Amino acid sequence: MRATLALIRYQLALLGRSQRWLAPLLLYAGLLAVGVRAGQPLLDSLGLAAAALLPAAAWLVRGCVTAEPPAARHCAAAAAGAWRVHLAGVAAGGVAALLFGCAGVGLVAATSAPRSTDGSVAVPLLPAVGAGLCGMLACVLTGAAVGALGNRPLVRSRGYAVAATLLGSVAALALGASPANAAVTGLVRGSAQGAVQVPWVPSLCAVALAGLAAAAACAVATRRE
């Protein structure tokens, strides 16, 4: 466990120094600027903020698992195990996305109106923020799963990896079976009804999905690296 935590800290430091976090942050901020306006219904805005975080999370995971030069990656794999090194990269991308998401939820909570979509029903602020955080977690984990499955070692070609990450992010938001889609839909539905619906089930499904995706990527990394 200590070795894994140390590797996650190393990956986060590498992400910060490489500035690979900047493009996903700009993407997330741009989507928030386009989709969220001051005074909009709180739950609707939280749903949009959670959905915007999914492609940013996939991009951050891609940035982490591809940041090291091959020689450095092989040295780390020899010292700590290829699966542990790759898991640390996926986890670091997810942690960075969570930081973005918490900032986004805080901004939305400060600028949105705690009312239903039609403005007729008051929505309790703290439960709504809790539901938004839960939805954000589901989108981060789903995005991390997309990033883990769409990049090395499963997809080695850079062009194919970028395309897989992009298409996977779109599919994860559009498909009804996706935990992210279910979480965002629950927030928007709750806004229409004037009731807070915490997306517990989608979040648990996202945990399972991210775990399976990370396990698959780590297993392939062990064989190939």
Side-chain angles (χ1 to χ4, degrees):
M1 179 61 71
R2 289 184 178 180
T4 302
L5 292 176
L7 284 169
I8 292 174
R9 290 195 296 270
Y10 164 70
Q11 290 287 351
L12 287 171
L14 189 63
L15 177 67
R17 289 196 302 269
S18 68
Q19 297 185 353
R20 292 187 174 213
W21 53 269
L22 183 57
L25 176 60
L26 291 176
L27 171 66
Y28 184 52
L31 291 174
L32 286 183
V34 171
V36 177
R37 291 286 185 273
Q40 285 183 338
L42 176 58
L43 289 172
D44 283 333
S45 296
L46 288 171
L48 287 170
L53 191 59
L54 191 151
W59 197 343
L60 284 165
V61 169
R62 169 173 169 73
C64 287
V65 300
T66 61
E68 288 180 294
R73 186 167 65 246
H74 294 327
C75 289
W83 70 269
R84 186 177 282 115
V85 173
H86 195 75
L87 177 62
V90 175
V95 169
L98 284 174
L99 294 176
F100 289 2
C102 289
V105 169
L107 177 64
V108 168
T111 59
S112 299
R115 310 288 299 182
S116 62
T117 301
D118 60 7
S120 62
V121 180
V123 174
L125 179 61
L126 291 181
V129 170
L133 289 171
C134 194
M136 177 267 293
L137 178 63
C139 288
V140 166
L141 292 173
T142 305
V146 170
L149 295 175
N151 293 283
R152 58 163 296 274
L154 293 169
V155 182
R156 291 188 170 185
S157 168
R158 178 178 298 179
Y160 288 141
V162 171
T165 303
L166 175 61
L167 294 176
S169 298
V170 173
L173 287 172
L175 294 177
S178 165
N181 179 285
V184 172
T185 301
L187 290 171
V188 174
R189 185 186 302 118
S191 181
Q193 298 173 352
V196 176
Q197 301 177 5
V198 181
W200 295 114
V201 174
S203 296
L204 293 175
C205 292
V207 170
L209 177 62
L212 291 173
C218 290
V220 175
T222 299
R223 291 199 300 270
R224 291 184 177 178
E225 300 180 3

